[in-house]
Amino acid sequence: MELDVYKPLSGSPMGVVMAANVQKAEREPSSPRLVSVPSMNKDFQVRSTVILLALLTTAAIIYAGYNFQAERSFQLPTDGVWWVEQGGSLVAARVDDGGPGTRAGIKVGDQLTAIDQHAATTTAALSHQLFRVGAWSKTTYSLVRQAVPVDVVLIPVPAERSQYDWLRLIGLIYLTVGLYVLLRRWTAPGSTHFYIFCLVSFIFYSFHYTGKLNQFDWTIYWGNVVAWVLQPALFLHFVLTFPERRQFVREHRWVIPFIYLPGALLLSVHVVALQLLRASEVLRWNLDRLQMAYLAAFFIAAAVVLVNSYRWAGTPILRQQLKWITRGTILAITPFTLFYVIPYLAGTLPENTMKVSVLSLGLLPLTFGYAIFRYRLMDVDLIFKRGMVYTLSAAAIIGAYFAVVAGVAEVVHARVPSSGPIGLVLAIVVTALVFDPVRKWIQERIDQFFYRTRYDYRKTLIEFGRDLSAETDLDEMLSSVVDRLSRTLLVDRMAVFLSAGDGPVRFLLSKSFGMTQTSGLDLNFLATPRPEIGAGHIFFDNTHQVPRETPGAQQTIARLDLNYYIPCRAQKQTVAVLGLGKTVEGDFLTSEDVELLETLAGYLGIAIQNARLYASLEQKVAEYERLKDFNENIVESINVGVLAVDLADRIESWNSQMEVMYALPRWQVLARPLSEILPAAFVEEFYRVRQNQGIHNLYKFRLNTPTGESRIVNVAIAPLVTRKFNVIGRLIIMDDITERVELETQLSQADKLSSIGLLAAGVAHEVNTPLAVISSYAQMLSKQLQGDPQRGALLEKITKQTFRASEIVNNLLNFSRTSGTEFTEVDVNRIIHDTLALLEHQFKTSKIQVQDEMASHLPTISGNAGRLQQVFLNLFLNAKDAMANGGTLRIATSNGEGVSVVVSDTGSGIAQEHIQRIYDPFFTTKASREGQPRGTGLGLSVSYGIIQEHAGKIRVESRPGEGTRFYLDFPLTRKAVNV
């Protein structure tokens, strides 16, 4: 095999890439074999992945170590000139300042023809001659400068490869962070992918060929090239799937394979260029620039994806993770892109400033590793805080120690030169005494600095827990706990779950903060025994990935989005569970916070149990009070008067019905003797019957009230006994039957009126016959005396009056007749006219003026004329009685959706308190004459029923002193009504 090695470009940030033309013997290509891969279960896949990663990691570390050792033992000579093939010869395109070429006098544009009389017209020949000469050996360069041959003496020096050490440091950072994340958080999403990215990056930054180009050197070279094309694709793949797969990627699964296509093409171009094309410095330079552009483009695309994902992040933890990743990525690739990639693509060779910018790439593994690992119980702030405390304490103590030692030594040296060790002992004692107070003081100052406004809350949180038992209201206590913890720990959400307390152990959501979805939760996972309870709390790293839980529990844990569940125990039973999420900044709680919560949970469990016991006691008291109130309400609600007296006849109970009936409030009668309250006649009867055992009744006893009214009551007097049947007093029950007696009287009066109506009907019937005879004879005489105007006029008057008398008699018959409820088409106007004719004489004698406003052509309605005439007769008579000194009776009819009738008067009106009772049977407001009531109270009641039979409506408007107006509405077509 013949190797033509070209001079590498010193200062390449990713490892110097060299071009080589290797002529190999032809070999028979081996045909690939198809291997059937059996289906593997998940455990086998995990084990296989672990073994493969372990082997690759071990191999990468061994190869990187040998590569570093080989690089140290082999010096790659360089002349400090960048030679480029041009016109069949090498032309100096750049001469490093202070390099061997500058010291030898080589200038830009010089053509190299030979080295020590050996031809050197290609980069491969130049590299071959430099390896032959070696570093620090004199050699003669034959040059052509402006067509003039020139020979110069040059001493090659070892190529500057210190930047490789910095790149290896970056690679070690990648590998260390990747291993740390993989070993500590191998179950975290993306940890395996991240480690592969870190391992490839380690190979990329640590593999640098030495220039020997033996088999090991070629392995290092191709490992670097493959890692170069893999790293950008792996990085872009990672940001598209971490911390969760992007929507675009989920919808287009071809995106991930497409990411690796440019790298595969670039690797193919690299292989083809080295194997088939003529190797040259220009070719190597162009390949480097192409790979650099590919790397920068993918890094920039990844940064754009991260920025877009950060802007649209929906959850705090996702936003917090993306914040670190996005900022770290931008901070890592921005200096590298601006100061290295862009100038390099523009044709500028790497300088010191460009080389330094490569170090910014080390921020990538740090930020990504922190983002993956941070979101666990890391206690970063706690570690930092305590570290600062003890560091400052130690520094303060050391300073104090040396100050005391120096002071004591000075005093001892001045006064007691022989007691030197005593000063040392004293310094040690003082140091031991001062250490703890100084540490505590610094601890307090650090707490105040870190927690600021939360410091006082933390300081008083345990005191708050001890004082919880003083709160007996469970709801108020839980509200104060939620408020105090949310302000102290600055959590974004929390909840308190209380045990149901009856039957199997189950929990219910009692209080919550920052949560919206609180219904339909399956909380059985809180009652499931689990080993984490022994640690004091249950922790869920990712609430959306809890594979060990049941499907219902997984859905509940995801909806609650609480990471910590801390049991509150009392008497070896879990009475409640505290649930807390992350902080408002998306961080997990520190272990110090969790310890504080576990301590508080003990106090809270005892406080909840005490509050429940107090609530149970309050409930029993409330039940007794409710039962007492219930019994009292029964006594107060019945419509009979109830009073109780003790054995000394003092009144102990007086219900509301007694207040109404006897017109004395309760406060005026309680604890007073019965004889001072009730009339003497009742007291005499009470004393008479109380001497005998059993229940005694007084029927229709007339009881005179303090207001002068006389009430008729039925009285029952019974002994008041306890559950043990001991007599402790008397119970007196008074049933007011005054209205019932009045109703019985009114019914008797109504029967009398009905009899009178029947008698009037019989009289009217008998009167009708002579009226007909008088009318007939008067008409006959009128025909015979047609020539006598004077007598004819008299006969005509007689005829009219007989007709009038007959009409009155007929109306009286219609009123008194008990007709059926057969409905026919009737004219409302006609019925009103007939009724007014009946009452014409009464209206004249009572000075009532009738105002007729009845509409013409009024449509007929379906009804019973006799029943409707009774309605109008009752209304007209009531109006007449209301206008004792005369007035105006207005009757108006109209036609709309039905037939409407308005009957109004200018009488005394109806009081508002009586409006609702005017349709009650036997209710009347008419004044009596000489102790006899003028009304039966049945007129409006009967009228209301008749209007209901006709599917009509009646309503009234009235004010005292302003008259009364009745509105009657009848439908044009009769509705179905059960009569």
Side-chain angles (χ1 to χ4, degrees):
M1 179 166 55
E2 178 183 349
L3 298 180
D4 293 330
V5 183
Y6 290 84
K7 169 188 169 298
L9 174 64
S10 63
S12 175
M14 308 301 175
V16 182
V17 179
M18 63 182 179
N21 182 13
V22 183
Q23 297 177 355
K24 300 180 180 179
E26 293 184 357
R27 301 177 181 177
E28 291 293 331
S30 59
S31 60
R33 293 180 300 169
L34 297 178
V35 181
S36 62
V37 181
S39 60
M40 298 180 294
N41 56 34
K42 186 176 181 180
D43 293 337
F44 180 74
Q45 291 178 358
V46 172
R47 287 195 295 268
S48 301
T49 303
V50 171
I51 294 173
L52 180 60
L53 289 178
L55 292 176
L56 290 176
T57 303
T58 303
I61 295 174
I62 293 174
Y63 270 74
Y66 280 133
N67 177 231
F68 177 73
Q69 183 179 3
E71 186 179 277
R72 293 297 180 187
S73 61
F74 178 76
Q75 293 181 345
L76 183 66
T78 180
D79 57 8
V81 182
W82 185 31
W83 300 98
V84 179
E85 291 89 345
Q86 183 177 340
S89 61
L90 294 177
V91 178
R94 174 182 169 180
V95 181
D96 294 339
D97 294 335
T102 302
R103 290 193 294 268
I106 300 176
K107 297 180 181 181
V108 176
D110 290 349
Q111 295 180 4
L112 177 63
T113 58
I115 299 177
D116 291 336
Q117 304 301 320
H118 296 282
T121 57
T122 63
T123 306
L126 173 63
S127 299
H128 180 76
Q129 295 301 323
L130 285 176
F131 280 118
R132 180 185 60 79
V133 173
W136 308 113
S137 299
K138 289 184 179 182
T139 183
T140 302
Y141 273 42
S142 299
L143 307 175
V144 177
R145 181 179 300 162
Q146 296 179 356
V148 176
V150 178
D151 290 336
V152 296
V153 177
L154 184 141
I155 301 177
V157 298
E160 175 61 36
R161 292 188 288 192
S162 61
Q163 72 273 15
Y164 292 172
D165 297 335
W166 293 106
L167 294 176
R168 287 189 176 95
L169 177 61
I170 295 175
L172 284 175
I173 293 174
Y174 270 99
L175 185 62
T176 302
V177 173
L179 284 172
Y180 187 66
V181 171
L182 184 65
L183 295 178
R184 293 294 300 274
R185 293 297 312 283
W186 62 273
T187 58
S191 59
T192 304
H193 189 162
F194 176 72
Y195 177 71
I196 295 174
F197 167 70
C198 290
L199 180 61
V200 170
S201 300
F202 170 74
I203 296 173
F204 178 39
Y205 294 120
S206 300
F207 282 22
H208 305 284
Y209 77 96
T210 61
K212 292 182 178 180
L213 292 182
N214 53 18
Q215 188 63 37
F216 176 77
D217 219 21
W218 277 114
T219 303
I220 293 296
Y221 172 75
W222 285 113
N224 177 271
V225 173
V226 172
W228 192 337
V229 297
L230 269 181
Q231 188 205 32
L234 284 170
F235 182 65
L236 184 57
H237 181 183
F238 183 73
V239 301
L240 286 173
T241 55
F242 179 84
E244 58 185 16
R245 191 175 292 269
R246 304 300 185 269
Q247 181 67 28
F248 180 78
V249 177
R250 289 196 295 266
E251 295 176 355
H252 305 85
R253 297 182 178 274
W254 53 266
V255 172
I256 298 302
F258 182 77
I259 292 174
Y260 293 90
L261 182 59
L265 294 176
L266 188 60
L267 180 62
S268 301
V269 170
H270 201 101
V271 172
V272 170
L274 291 180
Q275 297 294 331
L276 302 179
L277 299 179
R278 180 178 179 273
S280 66
E281 183 65 15
V282 175
L283 176 61
R284 184 204 62 80
W285 168 249
N286 290 330
L287 284 176
D288 279 357
R289 294 169 68 188
L290 181 61
Q291 290 177 331
M292 195 65 67
Y294 159 74
L295 181 134
F298 271 56
F299 273 141
I300 293 173
V304 171
V305 171
L306 289 173
V307 171
N308 185 64
S309 300
Y310 176 73
R311 291 178 57 190
W312 295 100
T315 59
I317 185 172
L318 178 60
R319 191 172 182 83
Q320 190 75 0
Q321 286 176 319
L322 289 174
K323 178 182 74 172
W324 286 100
I325 295 173
T326 305
R327 294 178 181 178
T329 301
I330 294 175
L331 191 62
I333 68 174
T334 299
F336 174 68
T337 303
L338 293 179
F339 300 109
Y340 195 103
V341 175
I342 295 178
Y344 193 72
L345 295 179
T348 303
L349 293 179
E351 298 177 350
N352 291 332
T353 304
M354 297 172 62
K355 296 176 183 178
V356 171
S357 66
V358 177
L359 299 178
S360 64
L361 296 175
L363 294 175
L364 273 178
L366 295 177
T367 54
F368 273 81
Y370 182 75
I372 295 175
F373 193 80
R374 163 68 169 168
Y375 297 93
R376 187 67 171 87
L377 194 59
M378 278 290 291
D379 294 344
V380 175
D381 59 336
L382 185 63
I383 294 172
F384 176 70
K385 183 192 71 173
R386 289 183 176 174
M388 183 179 292
V389 167
Y390 288 106
T391 301
L392 294 178
S393 299
I397 295 305
I398 290 173
Y401 171 78
F402 283 110
V404 170
V405 170
V408 171
E410 187 66 25
V411 171
V412 171
H413 177 73
R415 297 187 178 182
V416 188
S418 60
S419 58
I422 297 177
L424 180 61
V425 173
L426 290 176
I428 294 174
V429 172
V430 171
T431 301
L433 294 176
V434 171
F435 179 83
D436 194 59
V438 171
R439 184 192 63 80
K440 291 181 178 179
W441 181 84
I442 296 176
Q443 174 82 50
E444 186 177 356
R445 301 284 83 77
I446 295 296
D447 283 340
Q448 291 180 354
F449 174 78
F450 277 97
Y451 298 114
R452 291 184 174 89
T453 57
R454 293 194 293 160
Y455 174 74
D456 293 334
Y457 293 142
R458 287 175 175 269
K459 189 176 181 180
T460 58
L461 194 58
I462 298 301
E463 299 176 2
F464 168 72
R466 296 182 182 133
D467 296 337
L468 280 176
S469 298
E471 179 62 60
T472 57
D473 189 332
L474 183 59
D475 187 72
E476 290 291 335
M477 179 182 65
L478 295 180
S479 298
S480 62
V481 168
V482 171
D483 177 67
R484 182 65 67 92
L485 289 180
S486 61
R487 288 187 297 157
T488 302
L489 303 177
L490 297 179
V491 291
D492 61 349
R493 56 178 54 213
M494 72 171 295
V496 180
F497 306 92
L498 293 181
S499 63
D502 52 349
V505 180
R506 60 190 183 94
F507 291 88
L508 302 173
L509 178 62
S510 179
K511 282 289 179 184
S512 62
F513 165 77
M515 303 172 63
T516 55
Q517 300 181 1
T518 58
S519 60
L521 300 175
D522 180 12
L523 300 175
N524 291 329
F525 72 96
L526 295 177
T528 303
R530 56 181 74 222
E532 295 92 330
I533 297 296
H537 68 279
I538 304 173
F539 175 74
F540 294 112
D541 180 8
N542 188 345
T543 57
H544 297 278
Q545 293 185 2
V546 281
R548 293 191 304 169
E549 306 296 332
T550 62
Q554 291 179 5
Q555 184 178 6
T556 299
I557 294 170
R559 289 175 60 189
L560 292 174
D561 199 17
L562 299 174
N563 302 89
Y564 300 90
Y565 293 88
I566 302 174
C568 304
R569 302 178 64 85
Q571 296 182 349
K572 299 182 180 180
Q573 291 183 352
T574 302
V575 298
V577 175
L578 278 177
L580 297 97
K582 303 181 184 68
T583 65
V584 293
E585 296 180 353
D587 294 333
F588 287 105
L589 300 178
T590 66
S591 60
E592 188 178 62
D593 294 334
V594 177
E595 291 174 2
L596 195 65
L597 288 171
E598 291 174 354
T599 303
L600 182 64
Y603 295 117
L604 183 58
I606 298 174
I608 290 175
Q609 189 177 43
N610 292 341
R612 281 181 164 177
L613 292 175
Y614 185 82
S616 176
L617 181 61
E618 277 190 333
Q619 184 179 3
K620 291 182 179 179
V621 173
E623 288 178 356
Y624 284 122
E625 291 291 337
R626 184 182 60 81
L627 184 60
K628 178 184 175 184
D629 292 341
F630 182 74
N631 293 332
E632 291 180 353
N633 289 336
I634 293 176
V635 175
E636 293 294 327
S637 300
I638 59 178
N639 60 349
V640 296
V642 179
L643 64 108
V645 296
D646 59 13
L647 295 177
D649 296 334
R650 287 188 299 268
I651 298 175
E652 297 294 337
S653 176
W654 185 274
N655 73 342
S656 58
Q657 188 63 26
M658 283 297 301
E659 291 180 326
V660 174
M661 180 177 63
Y662 201 65
L664 277 181
R666 185 180 291 119
W667 63 272
Q668 289 185 3
V669 299
L670 292 180
R672 293 178 62 183
L674 187 67
S675 58
E676 295 182 5
I677 303 301
L678 296 179
F682 176 81
V683 175
E684 183 179 352
E685 292 292 331
F686 175 75
Y687 286 156
R688 181 179 62 83
V689 301
R690 68 183 291 238
Q691 305 300 328
N692 303 320
Q693 299 294 328
I695 301 174
H696 303 277
N697 296 297
L698 302 176
Y699 293 104
K700 292 188 178 181
F701 185 85
R702 188 171 293 276
L703 183 69
N704 297 321
T705 66
T707 59
E709 293 182 324
S710 180
R711 314 294 295 181
I712 301 174
V713 295
N714 288 335
V715 183
I717 302 174
L720 184 63
V721 298
T722 64
R723 291 184 177 180
K724 296 182 179 181
F725 300 100
N726 296 324
V727 178
I728 58 174
R730 292 290 185 274
L731 187 64
I732 303 173
I733 301 174
M734 295 185 181
D735 185 9
D736 187 359
I737 60 173
T738 305
E739 294 183 359
R740 189 189 311 166
V741 172
E742 291 179 356
L743 287 176
E744 291 173 354
T745 303
Q746 291 177 2
L747 286 174
S748 177
Q749 184 68 17
D751 290 339
K752 293 178 182 180
L753 292 176
S754 178
S755 300
I756 293 172
L758 293 175
L759 179 61
V763 172
H765 183 73
E766 294 298 329
V767 171
N768 229 0
T769 301
L771 285 177
V773 173
I774 295 172
S775 176
S776 298
Y777 283 117
Q779 292 178 24
M780 292 172 61
L781 288 174
S782 176
K783 289 181 180 180
Q784 294 176 2
L785 298 176
Q786 290 182 355
D788 190 350
Q790 184 177 2
R791 294 180 179 178
L794 292 174
L795 291 174
E796 186 178 357
K797 289 182 180 181
I798 292 173
T799 302
K800 289 182 178 179
Q801 293 303 318
T802 55
F803 278 121
R804 176 175 173 77
S806 177
E807 185 178 1
I808 292 173
V809 170
N810 288 331
N811 288 336
L812 183 59
L813 284 173
N814 291 334
F815 172 71
S816 61
R817 184 182 296 121
T818 306
S819 59
T821 54
E822 295 181 359
F823 286 76
T824 60
E825 298 294 327
V826 296
D827 185 358
V828 175
N829 285 347
R830 180 62 183 171
I831 296 174
I832 294 174
H833 281 298
D834 292 344
T835 308
L836 289 175
L838 280 174
L839 302 174
E840 182 180 1
H841 177 70
Q842 296 187 41
F843 287 160
K844 285 183 179 181
T845 58
S846 300
K847 299 179 181 180
I848 304 299
Q849 184 178 4
V850 179
Q851 185 177 349
D852 183 356
E853 297 181 4
M854 286 180 283
S856 59
H857 306 293
L858 196 68
T860 61
I861 66 171
S862 179
N864 184 279
R867 306 283 282 175
L868 291 176
Q869 188 176 38
Q870 187 176 356
V871 172
F872 292 120
L873 184 63
N874 289 331
L875 293 177
F876 296 161
L877 288 176
N878 287 342
K880 178 183 75 68
D881 293 339
M883 296 182 288
N885 299 323
T888 301
L889 175 63
R890 176 179 171 269
I891 303 101
T893 59
S894 61
N895 177 24
E897 294 182 357
V899 174
S900 299
V901 182
V902 179
V903 179
S904 61
D905 61 63
T906 59
S908 59
I910 305 173
Q912 293 298 316
E913 61 269 18
H914 296 155
I915 288 290
Q916 301 299 327
R917 300 185 60 192
I918 60 175
Y919 302 112
D920 295 344
F922 305 107
F923 176 78
T924 181
T925 59
K926 297 177 182 180
S928 61
R929 292 181 181 177
E930 297 179 358
Q932 299 297 325
R934 292 183 57 191
T936 63
L938 294 173
L940 286 178
S941 177
V942 173
S943 299
Y944 182 82
I946 293 172
I947 292 174
Q948 292 294 317
E949 290 177 1
H950 287 72
K953 297 179 182 178
I954 182 172
R955 58 189 179 91
V956 63
E957 292 180 357
S958 180
R959 291 180 180 274
E962 298 181 4
T964 303
R965 180 176 298 178
F966 282 90
Y967 297 89
L968 289 76
D969 297 311
F970 300 97
L972 295 178
T973 57
R974 181 175 178 271
K975 300 178 182 177
V977 176
N978 294 327
V979 180

